[in-house]
Amino acid sequence: MSLLGEIERNPPAVEDRGVLRFITAGSVDDGKSTLIGRLLHDTRAIFEDQLAAVARASQKRGQEDIDLSLLTDGLEAEREQGITIDVAYRYFATPRRKFIIADTPGHEQYTRNMVTGASSADAAVILVDAREGVLPQTRRHTYIAHLLGVRHIVVAVNKMDLVGSDEATFERIRRDFLAFASALGIADLRFIPISALRGDLVVERGEHMSWYRGPTLLAALEEIDVADEADALPFRFPVQLVVRPGAGTDFRGYAGRLESGVLASGDEVLALPSGHRSIVKDIVSLGKSLPVAVAGDSVILVLAEDIDISRGDLLADPVHPPQSAKTIQARICWLSSESLDARTLPAARCVLKHTTRSVKARLTSINSRVDVDALLQQAKPAGLAMNDIAQVTLTLAQPLFVDSYELNRATGSFILIDETANQTVAAGMIDG
């Protein structure tokens, strides 16, 4: 038997790198939707009827080639305007790993939607139009991704086909980006020239940029190491629901998602805010007992003692408990279309939602606002407009049990909800 035949019969084992959640971001018309369409198309992650529908839509627009951006621009308003105005999530897989991708809006008006996509992402692909270079919105999205704890950032210089696949253009954009990003201290920053329209260096290498010796975009994403750092953190289990099946049973469990750490039967837990301690008697998932739960698992915990616990309480590591705070310092991204005037802060009351707990809060001061373009802090600004990022002080009606966002993204983040309009006005990250 030939060597090729033997390989086909017994293919070599491929390392499973797990799931990678990543966003695409950048300025309007940088090609984010087209890039995702190319990834889905070239990895064969779309059905024939979907492709046929996109082909028909492209013909109606008078386009000879298939417009792959239509695979993600699902909202009618997006198709009419030609821009993405919501976060479109898509899923695909390769032999090496599974991917969850979010196409986030590029227009400045929708930066708040980009915050939604970045808050749970492991990596960000920041697109730059090779003809335009680094723009203010490029810097804004990079800063927000870094602020939200995205550790792996890939700068994809797109539309290289429109600049003759010129290496000097790519290097100039790379230098310009580094001049801005060097102050951020991004842990893992990479640069890849691509043509999403033509497919060069997205999934396949193509033939037009032989001067580039690095990996394709897909290969770079496959290589990113996202070994779940949350497993190594102290465990945090916000209680979502108290499970009481009903009459005739004395079962009492606490349902929720283990946001960080590892929890096993026999481990001691600290219930907050009561301060009572107990032992994990059982961990239940889909009706079966588990010996251990890890970060990301949704389970029901059964404790050895029947103690007073309700929705919004937190079961935590008694050796490394979270902080108890009634005043917090935080960075927020102002999401509301209505500006916040610093002079009206005494009346600016809201509800702060942190994990499964909600408390009344008051924004007591706007300490500084970030100039994203210059990366400078403007002290005591007159107010905040939509998409502004600021460092603020919040006073809470009841204590929360929190970690700094840098330590734990789940227990270090929150949203602010306007009490009157019941609308989310800000997303926040707690400082250490």
Side-chain angles (χ1 to χ4, degrees):
M1 180 183 294
S2 68
L3 178 60
L4 179 58
E6 179 63 26
I7 291 175
E8 290 176 342
R9 282 177 174 271
N10 299 288
V14 178
E15 180 188 7
D16 183 358
R17 302 300 300 273
V19 177
L20 180 77
R21 297 172 176 83
F22 73 94
I23 63 167
T24 56
S27 295
V28 172
D29 292 331
D30 279 350
K32 297 175 297 300
S33 296
T34 300
L35 172 62
I36 292 180
R38 173 63 63 186
L39 283 167
L40 296 174
H41 179 272
D42 288 6
T43 57
R44 297 175 177 82
I46 56 175
F47 296 110
E48 290 185 7
D49 59 338
Q50 290 177 300
L51 192 59
V54 169
R56 289 193 298 271
S58 301
Q59 288 178 350
K60 288 180 180 179
R61 289 184 165 198
Q63 296 170 283
E64 294 182 5
D65 297 325
I66 294 177
D67 185 351
L68 294 176
S69 71
L70 297 180
L71 288 169
T72 53
D73 283 347
L75 295 178
E76 189 66 29
E78 293 174 355
R79 293 190 178 186
E80 291 174 357
Q81 298 178 47
I83 62 173
T84 303
I85 63 174
D86 204 352
V87 182
Y89 292 93
R90 293 295 183 271
Y91 311 86
F92 73 100
T94 69
R96 295 195 68 187
R97 84 179 332 156
K98 298 179 179 68
F99 296 90
I100 301 174
I101 50 181
D103 179 21
T104 61
H107 197 282
E108 182 177 355
Q109 180 182 354
Y110 303 110
T111 298
R112 61 191 185 276
N113 300 76
M114 184 264 176
V115 171
T116 302
S119 62
S120 60
D122 303 305
V125 176
I126 307 293
L127 270 80
V128 177
D129 187 328
R131 301 167 301 174
E132 302 291 338
V134 177
L135 298 175
Q137 193 69 338
T138 313
R139 293 190 287 267
R140 177 181 293 274
H141 283 175
T142 302
Y143 181 83
I144 292 173
H146 179 63
L147 181 71
L148 289 168
V150 179
R151 300 177 185 275
H152 308 276
I153 294 180
V154 180
V155 181
V157 182
N158 192 24
K159 304 188 181 182
M160 288 295 294
D161 53 302
L162 300 182
V163 295
S165 302
D166 180 47
E167 181 179 6
T169 299
F170 171 73
E171 288 298 330
R172 174 179 55 78
I173 292 173
R174 181 176 177 274
R175 289 194 300 271
D176 290 347
F177 194 98
L178 286 173
F180 149 73
S182 58
L184 298 179
I186 298 170
D188 179 19
L189 179 61
R190 315 175 189 205
F191 297 85
I192 302 175
I194 66 169
S195 169
L197 182 65
R198 203 164 53 190
D200 294 338
L201 288 169
V202 179
V203 175
E204 307 294 337
R205 295 200 67 85
E207 302 176 353
H208 300 91
M209 288 179 279
S210 57
W211 46 266
Y212 172 75
R213 302 296 184 185
T216 65
L217 177 62
L218 180 62
L221 294 173
E222 286 181 326
E223 292 169 1
I224 289 176
D225 184 9
V226 287
D228 202 346
E229 297 168 356
D231 286 354
L233 298 175
F235 71 79
R236 302 286 187 259
F237 185 85
V239 176
Q240 295 181 9
L241 180 69
V242 179
V243 180
R244 296 292 299 268
T249 176
D250 59 356
F251 181 89
R252 183 184 180 94
Y254 307 100
R257 183 179 187 269
L258 186 61
E259 296 292 356
S260 62
V262 176
L263 195 57
S265 293
D267 285 351
E268 185 181 34
V269 298
L270 172 66
L272 296 168
S274 70
H276 294 306
R277 298 188 181 212
S278 187
I279 302 296
V280 176
K281 182 179 177 181
D282 196 7
I283 302 172
V284 181
S285 176
L286 300 175
K288 297 181 180 179
S289 292
L290 301 177
V292 66
V294 298
D297 287 349
S298 294
V299 296
I300 297 173
L301 299 183
V302 181
L303 302 183
E305 289 81 27
D306 186 8
I307 58 180
D308 184 18
I309 297 175
S310 58
R311 174 180 169 80
D313 288 359
L314 180 71
L315 299 179
D317 186 337
V319 179
H320 302 286
Q323 309 170 49
S324 174
K326 283 195 69 175
T327 300
I328 59 175
Q329 307 294 322
R331 292 156 291 160
I332 63 170
C333 180
W334 190 251
L335 308 179
S336 175
S337 57
E338 295 187 13
S339 298
L340 177 67
D341 189 332
R343 294 171 298 181
T344 66
L345 283 185
R349 299 181 182 276
C350 52
V351 173
L352 186 151
K353 189 176 187 307
H354 172 262
T355 62
T356 59
R357 189 174 182 86
S358 297
V359 300
K360 291 188 176 183
R362 189 160 58 88
L363 236 170
T364 51
S365 68
I366 305 173
N367 304 321
S368 62
R369 186 183 70 86
V370 176
D371 181 338
V372 176
D373 296 331
L375 288 184
L376 296 175
Q377 300 281 342
Q378 176 193 355
K380 300 296 181 182
L384 298 178
M386 184 175 70
N387 300 320
D388 276 349
I389 298 168
Q391 203 279 336
V392 301
T393 301
L394 288 150
T395 301
L396 313 177
Q398 296 175 317
L400 283 179
F401 300 92
V402 303
D403 297 293
S404 70
Y405 187 83
E406 185 177 359
L407 173 64
N408 192 316
R409 290 171 77 175
T411 51
S413 60
F414 61 88
I415 59 173
L416 292 178
I417 302 169
D418 182 275
E419 266 191 319
T420 305
N422 197 32
Q423 293 182 339
T424 301
V425 294
M429 294 135 280
I430 298 167
D431 292 330

